[in-house]
Amino acid sequence: MNKQKRVLLLVLMIGLVITLSACSSGSASMYEQPMGAPGGWGWLQWIIELMGEGLYIISQFFGGYYWIGLVVLTILVRSAGWPIYAKSNDTTMNMQLAQPDLNALQEKYKGRTDEVSQKKMQAEQMEIYKKYGINPLGCLLPFLQMPIFIAMYQVVRRVPL
């Protein structure tokens, strides 16, 4: 990409961000509600309320400073999610180690589209996954953290100024 295209792309991105950040419904927003206010997020609301109360308690413990409460709450949330992070990193590392074998397997079955060849390739691929300790559904682990991150975002948006 040449320099002019990069500058144009950057200007367009900045314009898009500014345009989208100015959007609002015009009515009272849920972000105007205090932390942990009931209603609004269904099954996720109890996590938001729990984190809101935790942030309030931690902040009061440190003299009412919400920034200290946010730092401590973030450390607690990241510590609680550490097993998921570690497992995701292990899966990524094992996948990188298995990549040469997987590339060789794809090269071996290149151009073969019949059902028998495809099944053999899948069976050999599963053997490679077993050899390296890879769970094919391991890529879904980070999605377990999403409700917690969404709740944390909702709590941060409602911190009193």
Side-chain angles (χ1 to χ4, degrees):
M1 238 182 179
N2 62 19
K3 189 173 183 177
Q4 291 175 338
K5 286 184 179 180
R6 287 184 182 181
V7 170
L8 179 63
L9 184 61
L10 179 64
V11 169
L12 287 173
M13 295 272 295
I14 291 171
L16 182 64
V17 167
I18 290 171
T19 302
L20 291 176
S21 65
C23 295
S24 70
S25 62
S27 62
S29 173
M30 63 182 262
Y31 300 118
E32 294 171 4
Q33 299 173 359
M35 293 182 306
W41 279 86
W43 65 272
L44 193 58
Q45 185 62 32
W46 70 273
I47 298 174
I48 296 171
E49 290 173 7
L50 183 68
M51 285 187 166
E53 287 295 319
L55 177 62
Y56 179 75
I57 291 168
I58 293 168
S59 298
Q60 293 305 312
F61 182 76
F62 288 104
Y65 294 105
Y66 281 101
W67 69 271
I68 297 175
L70 284 172
V71 170
V72 172
L73 186 63
T74 302
I75 290 170
L76 291 173
V77 167
R78 295 289 289 185
S79 297
W82 185 256
I84 296 173
Y85 299 130
K87 185 66 176 168
S88 294
N89 288 341
D90 287 344
T91 300
T92 302
M93 294 299 292
N94 290 343
M95 196 66 172
Q96 288 176 353
L97 292 173
Q99 198 60 46
D101 291 346
L102 293 171
N103 289 341
L105 181 66
Q106 286 179 346
E107 214 37 58
K108 178 180 175 183
Y109 286 98
K110 186 177 184 180
R112 297 185 190 176
T113 57
D114 60 298
E115 188 176 331
V116 174
S117 296
Q118 291 296 315
K119 286 187 179 188
K120 285 183 182 179
M121 184 174 122
Q122 288 175 356
E124 289 181 33
Q125 188 174 12
M126 290 307 290
E127 288 177 21
I128 292 172
Y129 284 168
K130 278 185 182 178
K131 176 182 172 185
Y132 287 96
I134 298 171
N135 182 356
L137 298 178
C139 62
L140 299 176
L141 282 176
F143 289 110
L144 295 174
Q145 306 168 53
M146 288 306 294
I148 296 170
F149 290 142
I150 291 169
M152 186 74 171
Y153 175 75
Q154 293 298 320
V155 169
V156 169
R157 292 279 300 188
R158 297 176 185 187
V159 169
L161 298 175

